[in-house]
Amino acid sequence: MDWVIQTHDLRKVYQMGEVEVEALRGVSFNIQRGEVVAIMGPSGSGKSTLMNTLGCLDRPSAGEYVLDGETVANLNDDQLADVRNRKVGFVFQSFNLLSRQTAITNVELPLRYSSNSKYAGNAKGRRARAIEALKAVGLENRMTHRPAELSGGQQQRVAIARAIVNDPAIIMADEPTGNLDSKVGKEIMKLLLDLNKESGTTLIIITHDPTIAEQTQRVIRLRDGLLESGS
Amino acid sequence: MSIAQAFLEALESISGNKLRSGLTVLGIVIGVAAVIAMLAVGNGAEASITGSISSIGTNLLFVFRGSPESQQEAPDRSSAQNDRPLTLADASALADPFAAPSVAIVAPAIQGNGMITFAGENASTTITGVTPEYFAVRNLELSEGEFINQEHLLGRMSVVVLGPEAADAIMGRHDGIVGESIRIEGQPFRIIGVLEAKGGGAFGSEDNSAYLPFTTAQARLLKRNARDEVDVIFVQATSGETVPQASEEIANILRQRHRTPIGSDDFTVFTQQDFLQTFGAITGVLTIFLGGIAGISLLVGGIGIMNIMLVSVTERTREIGLRKALGARRRDILIQFLTESSLLSLIGGIIGIILGWLISYAVGQIAAANGTDFIPLVTTDAVALATIFSAAVGLFFGIYPANRAASLEPVEALRYE
Ligand SMILES: Nc1ncnc2c1ncn2[C@@H]1O[C@H](COP(=O)(O)OP(=O)(O)O)[C@@H](O)[C@H]1O
Ligand SMILES: [Mg+2]
């Protein structure tokens, strides 16, 4: 099997003063390359914590995690930053675009931090790739607009272009339609699924919305930091 | 991320918040402007004083009565009662080309103040009794007429060479006045020459002076205890290099003539160099003082920048979290904020340099309007120093905020509201 994500007994403990909060209490599952997976569960069940761990934004307190063939549990901060840059594309609920920058500059941002010789010190190459990504999300006519000049759906498209610009192994979307009305949310979901079909990029979506979960191949359900189903 | 990119992003960020950036750099602007202006004015003053010291003559030495110590304590004649006065004979001994080969010209003089009068107009002026050599030693030039010559001296003639200011004061003009008769302390004198204006000097204005033959002044206006007593002997050395030798030769001759043992001279030899050195010591203190002001203002400016950078880091916590999520390393964030703080400070420095230059230009204009010949000088050294220093201040005071930004945990930063 071609696993893009392999976890074994992932645990995450937050220290809140005296109290220890166990956000993940031993989570083990694998995800195949190209799979579309939804992570569901009630609020506080550990979905965001899991996503932060899978996205290499945070290290697990214990357990093993192999992302696209790389053991990442013990990497230092800068190594994690590099892994995020190369392998992970994030889509956030609140878009998280730089408000002062144009769409194309926002999309280029991951490439600016790339150590790939294709982009490092090659402003033209970065721009060309960013334009491709914006075309892929259907925003070739909005490239020089700033976020304030774009609708919510368009902003999320810019964010998706930014997520795919560096050809990541996985795209992680934390409630990507949470700030959008249902019609626009459907369009965004369709875009994510289309991108998955075209490029085969693994897609992990955290969601509350059962209609979204229905469109995915698999649903991982969390409760109180444990897998309920979907492993 | 490359430095060029960091520079562009910093520029965007600074220009995206112009009012705040402007207020932030105000401290640096004012500090640098003050330093540039003060250095320029100081340089201008130095140039003008050095110039006026040079303008009193070339390779010049001054011989005064009294020991060097008494010159420093109280440079007036009363404290030197026990010292032998300098005499005309001393002066001619110094002119001996065998005993003093480094001496070119010797000019003894007596000096005092007096009232000059013309057609009912009075003015107080400096009266100097001189020999013909005086004019050469002091680099004086005539706008009309002639200097005092040997004939005037021997004949104890009632002739006077006037400085232009003295002439203006009583006659309202200083040209076409040769041959006119004026009164000095009530006695009639004929004007034989008028000097070229020299501008204010460090030793009072030569322009407000009346020069008489030494013998005339001695006999009729500036009476001294002994008939051949002089107040000061001006000596010109043969060249700039021989000034120290000339000083040695003069001291040896006078020690012999006054029979004073070494170490208890009753005369003092000053060179122009001595004056310049004294002046250099004063400007040194001034420079330290200005440096202190510069340091304090840059410190205050730097703290202002640090403060705003800390605010900026807090405001942009989410942005930092996002950049880290997208792959920015510690170093990338560090460079981003350090570039921003340095650039901010550098812009302040450049504005400060321009402002300081304008201020010193204005000071120069005001001085010119008031008739002072003094040009403030903004040196490239000062500009380079201000540029480097302001950037360094931004860099230094940016370290703490930038470090704070770079140390943010991406998860925490992204959650920040
Ligand atoms: N940084 C943190 N510090 C302390 N506790 C945290 C932190 N992040 C999450 N938690 C706790 O861990 C648990 C799981 O949170 P989270 O992963 O955000 O759940 P979800 O995204 O499913 O709502 C919750 O009890 C939450 O309070
Ligand atoms: Mg959550």
Side-chain angles (χ1 to χ4, degrees):
Chain A
M1 277 299 207
D2 185 9
W3 301 119
V4 73
I5 282 176
Q6 295 167 278
T7 71
H8 179 69
D9 201 26
L10 280 186
R11 289 165 187 275
K12 182 71 186 181
V13 182
Y14 291 111
Q15 195 74 43
M16 294 279 284
E18 297 283 283
V19 194
E20 286 190 346
V21 182
E22 282 189 279
L24 295 177
R25 301 193 289 161
V27 175
S28 308
F29 64 92
N30 297 333
I31 294 178
Q32 267 187 65
R33 191 175 302 282
E35 224 180 330
V36 180
V37 178
I39 298 178
M40 295 190 77
S43 185
S45 58
K47 302 184 297 290
S48 294
T49 305
L50 181 60
M51 155 132 156
N52 291 339
T53 310
L54 298 181
C56 298
L57 287 167
D58 210 352
R59 273 176 287 258
S61 309
E64 279 158 39
Y65 176 32
V66 178
L67 169 62
D68 196 25
E70 266 183 80
T71 307
V72 293
N74 299 316
L75 297 183
N76 69 26
D77 286 352
D78 282 355
Q79 289 166 327
L80 279 184
D82 189 49
V83 170
R84 285 197 293 275
N85 184 258
R86 284 185 289 119
K87 297 191 188 295
V88 187
F90 290 98
V91 179
F92 302 95
Q93 179 174 356
S94 53
F95 320 140
N96 274 336
L97 299 175
L98 298 184
S99 57
R100 267 205 275 278
Q101 309 290 352
T102 59
I104 189 153
T105 308
N106 267 289
V107 173
E108 249 189 78
L109 204 52
L111 304 181
R112 293 194 180 182
Y113 296 116
S114 170
S115 52
N116 187 335
S117 60
K118 211 157 102 189
Y119 301 124
N122 176 8
K124 272 205 186 113
R126 289 196 297 263
R127 182 120 306 203
R129 176 64 195 130
I131 291 171
E132 267 175 41
L134 276 167
K135 278 186 182 152
V137 299
L139 277 187
E140 57 269 40
N141 297 325
R142 297 284 184 280
M143 293 199 288
T144 56
H145 288 54
R146 285 168 217 282
E149 300 154 4
L150 296 170
S151 70
Q154 288 170 330
Q155 290 185 51
Q156 194 61 303
R157 280 171 192 270
V158 174
I160 291 169
R162 183 180 65 192
I164 62 170
V165 77
N166 204 15
D167 293 316
I170 53 169
I171 290 174
M172 301 217 175
D174 192 349
E175 312 227 16
T177 62
N179 281 11
L180 302 170
D181 63 45
S182 61
K183 180 173 162 285
V184 178
K186 279 200 187 87
E187 286 168 19
I188 291 295
M189 260 319 287
K190 182 169 180 303
L191 174 63
L192 284 170
L193 293 171
D194 287 350
L195 287 171
N196 164 264
K197 274 199 202 87
E198 280 161 29
S199 60
T201 311
T202 313
L203 180 60
I204 301 173
I205 304 173
I206 295 181
T207 183
H208 278 114
D209 187 345
T211 62
I212 286 177
E214 277 166 20
Q215 305 172 54
T216 65
Q217 298 153 6
R218 177 152 66 118
V219 179
I220 293 176
R221 282 180 200 282
L222 277 176
R223 181 175 290 277
D224 293 336
L226 286 171
L227 281 193
E228 213 174 39
S229 68
S231 61
Chain B
M1 181 137 78
S2 73
I3 297 288
Q5 270 169 33
F7 185 83
L8 282 179
E9 283 197 16
L11 208 58
E12 270 169 11
S13 167
I14 289 169
S15 60
N17 220 331
K18 287 195 188 68
L19 180 62
R20 182 208 277 189
S21 302
L23 292 174
T24 304
V25 299
L26 214 53
I28 299 281
V29 170
I30 291 170
V32 168
V35 171
I36 290 284
M38 285 189 290
L39 283 178
V41 170
N43 279 330
E46 186 170 342
S48 111
I49 291 176
T50 309
S52 71
I53 289 176
S54 313
S55 78
I56 59 177
T58 317
N59 313 327
L60 200 55
L61 299 100
F62 314 77
V63 187
F64 298 103
R65 178 185 183 183
S67 66
E69 291 73 37
S70 74
Q71 295 289 346
Q72 271 162 16
E73 286 157 12
D76 59 310
R77 252 197 312 280
S78 61
S79 73
Q81 283 307 353
N82 300 326
D83 301 322
R84 283 183 56 164
L86 297 168
T87 63
L88 281 177
D90 286 334
S92 37
L94 298 182
D96 178 349
F98 298 102
S102 307
V103 169
I105 312 175
V106 178
I110 49 176
Q111 230 164 24
N113 286 317
M115 193 63 80
I116 51 175
T117 318
F118 178 83
E121 293 289 332
N122 291 319
S124 169
T125 191
T126 308
I127 297 170
T128 313
V130 298
T131 61
E133 290 79 18
Y134 186 87
F135 297 95
V137 166
R138 299 296 304 271
N139 288 352
L140 298 181
E141 277 169 47
L142 284 170
S143 62
E144 62 184 37
E146 55 173 341
F147 286 130
I148 286 157
N149 62 31
Q150 209 60 34
E151 198 183 321
H152 301 133
L153 199 67
L154 291 174
R156 252 181 238 179
M157 292 168 74
S158 296
V159 293
V160 59
V161 174
L162 275 186
E165 211 177 303
D168 284 341
I170 52 168
M171 312 178 84
R173 63 199 160 98
H174 58 265
D175 43 12
I177 57 172
V178 167
E180 298 275 6
S181 197
I182 63 165
R183 286 178 182 275
I184 302 177
E185 295 287 300
Q187 304 180 33
F189 280 82
R190 186 168 50 87
I191 300 174
I192 56 164
V194 183
L195 294 177
E196 221 37 280
K198 258 197 160 184
F203 307 95
S205 177
E206 244 106 50
D207 295 351
N208 182 20
S209 275
Y211 297 93
L212 316 181
F214 183 90
T215 46
T216 316
Q218 213 293 321
R220 295 173 39 193
L221 290 170
L222 306 167
K223 297 210 169 63
R224 300 285 182 248
N225 295 333
R227 237 171 45 82
D228 65 347
E229 184 176 334
V230 303
D231 294 341
V232 56
I233 304 173
F234 295 91
V235 178
Q236 188 176 58
T238 50
S239 74
E241 290 83 59
T242 55
V243 168
Q245 276 151 263
S247 173
E248 243 346 272
E249 290 161 13
I250 292 165
N252 284 334
I253 292 169
L254 290 180
R255 273 178 208 130
Q256 244 172 12
R257 292 181 53 84
H258 292 197
R259 299 181 212 292
T260 56
I262 291 176
S264 56
D265 292 343
D266 60 358
F267 59 87
T268 305
V269 184
F270 268 129
T271 66
Q272 265 167 309
Q273 222 51 46
D274 293 332
F275 282 114
L276 287 175
Q277 262 161 23
T278 311
F279 176 68
I282 295 168
T283 52
V285 171
L286 202 68
T287 304
I288 291 170
F289 175 70
L290 293 183
I293 291 178
I296 291 168
S297 55
L298 286 178
L299 183 76
V300 172
I303 291 169
I305 286 183
M306 176 151 90
N307 183 32
I308 285 300
M309 289 307 292
L310 283 173
V311 172
S312 169
V313 167
T314 308
E315 278 178 356
R316 286 153 71 184
T317 299
R318 268 181 87 87
E319 176 192 325
I320 295 161
L322 173 75
R323 285 176 185 271
K324 287 201 152 189
L326 299 182
R329 286 155 303 175
R330 218 191 120 73
R331 206 187 48 176
D332 294 317
I333 304 294
L334 206 62
I335 288 174
Q336 182 188 341
F337 280 88
L338 283 181
T339 310
E340 196 169 319
S341 65
S342 316
L343 193 65
L344 200 57
S345 186
L346 185 66
I347 289 172
I350 289 169
I351 296 173
I353 288 170
I354 294 168
L355 188 66
W357 184 83
L358 287 176
I359 291 171
S360 46
Y361 178 78
V363 168
Q365 292 297 94
I366 292 167
N370 289 323
T372 313
D373 184 23
F374 152 69
I375 302 155
L377 206 66
V378 178
T379 62
T380 45
D381 279 6
V383 169
L385 206 71
T387 308
I388 292 168
F389 253 90
S390 55
V393 162
L395 193 66
F396 180 78
F397 285 97
I399 288 174
Y400 178 69
N403 222 341
R404 200 183 244 202
S407 309
L408 285 173
E409 289 294 333
V411 179
E412 299 294 322
L414 276 171
R415 277 156 50 113
Y416 184 87
E417 292 303 329

